Amino acid sequence: MSIILSGKTLKGSGIGKTLGFPTVNIPYSGGISGVFVGLMEMDGKKYRAAVNVGGRPTVDNKKLCEAYLLAFSGDVKVGSLVKIELLKKIREVKKFENLEELKTAIAADVEFAKNCYNWPA
């Protein structure tokens, strides 16, 4: 599987950051939905990622592509052009009872992404 999405980064709502998983967000209106292992390319560099594509039913059901970058500590400027490659589906998008359950699920998705290709932190 290899699906590529691209776009200019948007300012997010900050929920990922408050949960400890800040994301890079790009607009998305297609039919793909799920949580994926992926790679994000920006400024000629590739970053490993756990990626949510589609709705965000626990938060607001707004459709987006959100990438949490593994082993990344920099800032991504709003309006940066990025390309996100979806490599392997982890799970379907799911509505959780609260943000704490969502945080637990994201942590498991990130661990899966790290271990999927034997990627370091």
Side-chain angles (χ1 to χ4, degrees), residues 92-105:
E92 295 296 330
V93 171
K94 178 182 175 186
K95 180 174 173 81
F96 296 95
E97 290 297 316
N98 53 53
L99 291 178
E100 197 57 41
E101 282 187 16
L102 175 61
K103 181 179 179 178
T104 299

Side-chain angles (χ1 to χ4, degrees), residues 2 10 21 31-32 35 42 50 53 57 61 67 69 74-75 89 92-93 100 104 109 116 118-119:
S2 183
L10 305 168
F21 299 99
I32 298 167
V35 179
M42 178 179 62
V53 179
N61 219 23
L69 307 181
D75 287 320
K89 191 166 193 173
E92 295 296 330
V93 171
E100 197 57 41
T104 299
D109 298 336
C116 188
N118 200 26
W119 289 340

Side-chain angles (χ1 to χ4, degrees), residues 23-111:
T23 59
V24 175
N25 305 305
I26 61 172
Y28 180 74
S29 60
I32 298 167
S33 179
V35 179
F36 299 84
V37 176
L39 289 172
M40 187 186 93
E41 185 176 339
M42 178 179 62
D43 297 330
K45 291 185 177 180
K46 289 191 177 185
Y47 302 93
R48 300 171 306 267
V51 185
N52 181 75
V53 179
R56 308 178 328 160
T58 305
V59 180
D60 59 12
N61 219 23
K62 181 178 180 181
K63 280 183 115 176
L64 277 177
C65 176
E66 307 171 285
Y68 171 71
L69 307 181
L70 286 63
F72 180 81
S73 60
D75 287 320
V76 176
K77 291 182 182 170
V78 171
S80 298
L81 183 60
V82 301
K83 188 176 355 176
I84 298 172
E85 183 177 5
L86 306 178
L87 302 172
K88 181 180 180 90
K89 191 166 193 173
I90 299 172
R91 63 174 173 85
E92 295 296 330
V93 171
K94 178 182 175 186
K95 180 174 173 81
F96 296 95
E97 290 297 316
N98 53 53
L99 291 178
E100 197 57 41
E101 282 187 16
L102 175 61
K103 181 179 179 178
T104 299
I106 294 170
D109 298 336
V110 167
E111 279 305 306

